[in-house]
Amino acid sequence: MAFRKILVGYDGSEASKKALYKAIGLAKIIGGELHIVGVVRPFEFATVDFILPEEIEEYEREEVSKEEKYLREALDIVKGEGLNAYTKVLEGEPSEELMDYADKNGCDLIVVGHRGVGGFKRMILGSTASNLVKYANQSVLVVK
Ligand SMILES: Nc1ncnc2c1ncn2[C@@H]1O[C@H](COP(=O)(O)OP(=O)(O)O)[C@@H](O)[C@H]1O
Ligand SMILES: [Mg+2]
C-alpha cells in the first residue's frame, strides 16, 4: 500500500482539523506529500432578493480571505509537526473542486472530516464527504 499524494479538504471546521491531523499521521508513516485545499462557494443568489455587484465581490473577497486564513493555520499545524504542504484556495462547489484538484494533481488519497461547517449537527455524513465517497476517482478517508 502506498499513498504518495494526500489531499486534505479543509474548511476550518473541527472535523476538518481532525482529518488534517490524521493525514499528518499518515504522511509521517508513509512519507507522502500533503496538499491542503479549501473551496469557497460562489455567492448564492437564491438567498436574497436584491444585491449589488460590488456586494457580491466583497462577499467573495471576504470568503477567500477567510479560507486563506484557515489554510495558514493548517500550514502552521503541519509545520509544527515537522512536515510541509501545498495549500490552495479554489472557488466552486466543494466536492467537485476537490475531485478536480485530486485528478489534476495526481493525488491518490482524499482525506476529509465526516462533517464540516454549516451542516446539521445530527447529520452523520455531510454532503461534501458523501459526494467524494460516491464520485471521486481516488480512495477517500472520512475521519470521524
Ligand atoms: N468548502 C470546503 N473546502 C474544503 N473542504 C471541505 C469543504 N467543505 C467540506 N470540506 C471537507 O469535507 C468534510 C465534510 O464536510 P461536509 O460534507 O461539507 O459536511 P457539512 O454538510 O456538515 O458541512 C469537512 O470536514 C472537510 O474536510
Ligand atoms: Mg459543508
Side-chain angles (χ1 to χ4, degrees):
M1 181 219 58
F3 292 116
R4 284 177 298 117
K5 291 189 184 182
I6 304 170
L7 169 61
V8 183
Y10 197 77
D11 61 0
S13 64
E14 276 309 306
S16 72
K17 190 176 278 184
K18 199 169 164 187
L20 175 64
Y21 276 107
K22 291 288 179 193
I24 290 170
L26 263 176
K28 280 184 179 173
I29 297 166
I30 63 183
E33 196 174 278
L34 279 175
H35 293 245
I36 310 169
V37 172
V39 185
V40 175
R41 283 176 194 276
F43 183 80
E44 193 66 66
F45 285 96
T47 58
V48 291
D49 291 330
F50 178 76
I51 188 150
L52 294 167
E54 337 37 304
E55 290 177 308
I56 296 172
E57 274 173 32
E58 190 186 335
Y59 167 87
E60 290 183 345
R61 259 200 314 275
E62 278 172 11
E63 289 298 299
V64 169
S65 70
K66 197 162 78 183
E67 189 55 54
E68 282 169 349
K69 187 174 137 264
Y70 293 150
L71 291 183
R72 277 198 300 275
E73 289 166 5
L75 192 58
D76 282 347
I77 292 174
V78 170
K79 288 189 170 164
E81 297 286 328
L83 297 177
N84 214 334
Y86 294 93
T87 60
K88 183 108 185 131
V89 177
L90 297 172
E91 292 187 56
E93 201 287 314
S95 61
E96 281 174 19
E97 294 302 321
L98 289 170
M99 287 189 272
D100 198 47
Y101 184 95
D103 288 343
K104 286 184 177 151
N105 293 278
C107 297
D108 42 17
L109 177 67
I110 304 175
V111 182
V112 289
H114 67 121
R115 63 181 182 221
V117 285
F120 298 108
K121 268 245 150 68
R122 65 177 182 280
M123 198 120 128
I124 295 162
L125 195 60
S127 61
T128 308
S130 156
N131 282 338
L132 291 169
V133 169
K134 282 191 231 165
Y135 306 118
N137 295 317
Q138 294 75 14
S139 298
V140 178
L141 172 59
V142 179
V143 176
K144 285 194 168 180

